């Protein structure tokens, strides 16, 4: 598929699609037909939409593209995880990942090309920021991943490159297309938005009507450590962040997931596990421990298996739900924090 400079129809709601064609607008049922072709049946161009009148297909093809992204590179891990490097018409590239599990197939999407939050342990953070992605570019990632998938995609996580709540409107628009019956039809509870801790965004998300899931990358149990790892903590320190998480839990009645990247000697000590347990007391939540994935010449080191076990033991003694995320796709740099989209410039 080639990228096109024509505007994409992806990311539009049925109402927006009806209004996008002038002077003769589409009929609402035609907008639904087009969306079914694209999101359900995987049509990559208008010519394939054979139940639309041929002149309409021609008009559509003259004005619009379907998927604005083209595949620049594809890689498959020995564990089945697949990663795509996609390129937008303006030359920006970003990655997305398809992660198989026993009972699920998870698509991990990027929300920005780069990230401006600059977390010390994250490959995306080290590449700087280009721009936020459009709803079409997020839906376009999912369409490309769906074409690879041999079974239905069951879960979607905004955990690729970028900070979703720093691109709030576009991420919500993309999540709504994925969720809507005319779009991918994936249940809101299967769509997770992960944040490094932008407090106003968490409050805003708590007021949305949909049941999208929230994940918060906590990564440290005290402000000194968190300041040194995540510059965003100086704007929204732990107490403020957890205040927003509690408000979110009360307003939505939902469980929040905390992500905690374990870095050897930095935040994986027994005292850290005990601090974390104290901090999260009374917050209805799950904790996902992620042993650090080393993106090449990193200053941090992965935790030893013994310290992971020790941390898990201490935390699970006081917190009801703690899991270790078995990072998949390490051999193709597709695991958490390894996405860089620099494959063409800097082979990894
Ligand atoms: N910006 C958002 C979403 C993308 S990052 C956020 O930070 O939540 C997705 C997850 O990967 C985050 O939980 C982050 O803490 C984690 N991560 C980043 N770099 C990592 C690394 N090198 N190893 C393991 N996990 C990492
Ligand atoms: Fe950005 Fe998330 Fe990476 Fe931090 S961990 S630099 S917020 S993508």
């Amino acid at each position: 598929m080639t990228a096109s400079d024509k505007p994409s129809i992806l990311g539009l709601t049925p109402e927006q699609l009806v209004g996008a064609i002038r002077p003769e607008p589409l009929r609402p049922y035609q907008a639904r037909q087009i969306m079914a072709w694209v999101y359900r049946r995987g049509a990559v161009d208008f010519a394939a939409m054979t139940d639309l009148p041929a002149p309409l297909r021609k008009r559509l093809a003259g004005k619009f593209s379907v998927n604005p992204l083209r595949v620049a590179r594809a890689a498959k891990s020995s564990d089945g995880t697949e990663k795509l490097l996609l390129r937008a018409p303006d030359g920006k590239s970003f990655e997305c990942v398809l992660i198989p599990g026993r009972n699920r197939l998870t698509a991990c999407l990027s929300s920005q090309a780069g990230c401006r939050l600059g977390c010390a342990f994250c490959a995306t953070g080290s590449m700087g920021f280009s721009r936020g992605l459009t709803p079409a570019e997020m839906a376009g990632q999912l369409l490309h991943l769906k074409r690879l998938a041999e079974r239905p995609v069951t879960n979607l996580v905004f955990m690729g490159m970028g900070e979703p709540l720093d691109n709030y409107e576009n991420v919500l628009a993309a999540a709504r297309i994925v969720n809507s019956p005319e779009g991918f039809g994936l249940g809101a509870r299967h769509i997770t938005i992960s944040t490094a801790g932008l407090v106003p965004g968490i409050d805003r998300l708590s007021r949305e009507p949909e049941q999208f899931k929230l994940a918060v990358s906590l990564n440290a149990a005290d402000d000194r450590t968190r300041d040194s790892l995540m510059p965003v903590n100086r704007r929204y320190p732990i107490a403020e962040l957890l205040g927003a998480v509690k408000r979110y839990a009360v307003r939505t009645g939902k469980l929040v997931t905390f992500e905690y990247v374990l870095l050897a000697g930095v935040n994986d000590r027994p005292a850290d596990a005990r601090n974390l347990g104290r901090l999260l007391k009374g917050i209805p939540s799950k904790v996902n421990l992620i042993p650090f994935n080393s993106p090449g010449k990193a200053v941090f080191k992965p935790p030893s298996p013994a310290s992971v076990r020790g941390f898990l033991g201490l935390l699970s003694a006081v917190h009801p739900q703690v899991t270790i995320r078995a990072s998949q796709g390490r051999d193709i740099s597709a695991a958490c924090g390894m996405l860089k989209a620099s494959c063409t410039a800097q082979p990894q």
Side-chain angles (χ1 to χ4, degrees), residues 185-208:
L186 194 65
R189 282 191 216 101
H190 297 258
I191 301 173
T192 301
I193 297 175
S194 178
T195 179
L198 296 181
V199 164
I202 296 174
D203 279 324
R204 204 170 156 190
L205 193 64
S206 73
R207 294 191 199 94
E208 300 291 353

Side-chain angles (χ1 to χ4, degrees), residues 156-284:
L156 176 72
V157 295
F158 287 94
M159 290 188 188
M161 297 163 66
E163 165 55 41
L165 299 187
D166 187 30
N167 188 18
Y168 190 95
E169 277 89 9
N170 286 354
V171 166
L172 260 282
R176 290 195 168 118
I177 284 290
V178 174
N179 177 227
S180 74
E182 297 88 1
F184 291 95
L186 194 65
R189 282 191 216 101
H190 297 258
I191 301 173
T192 301
I193 297 175
S194 178
T195 179
L198 296 181
V199 164
I202 296 174
D203 279 324
R204 204 170 156 190
L205 193 64
S206 73
R207 294 191 199 94
E208 300 291 353
E210 292 90 356
Q211 300 271 305
F212 298 128
K213 280 172 65 180
L214 174 68
V216 173
S217 301
L218 190 57
N219 299 333
D222 64 273
D223 280 321
R224 214 158 74 99
T225 311
R226 198 164 193 267
D227 280 348
S228 72
L229 296 175
M230 304 178 74
V232 68
N233 196 62
R234 289 184 215 126
R235 253 195 294 164
Y236 305 111
I238 292 177
E240 272 186 50
L241 174 56
L242 295 186
V245 170
K246 284 179 197 157
R247 289 193 291 280
Y248 180 94
V250 169
R251 276 201 197 117
T252 63
K254 282 184 287 173
L255 219 61
V256 173
T257 298
F258 288 104
E259 293 155 289
Y260 191 101
V261 181
L262 288 165
L263 306 162
V266 176
N267 65 359
D268 69 337
R269 296 155 300 189
D272 298 309
R274 282 191 281 267
N275 281 344
L276 185 59
R278 267 196 297 275
L279 211 54
L280 301 187
K281 195 159 184 262
I283 305 181

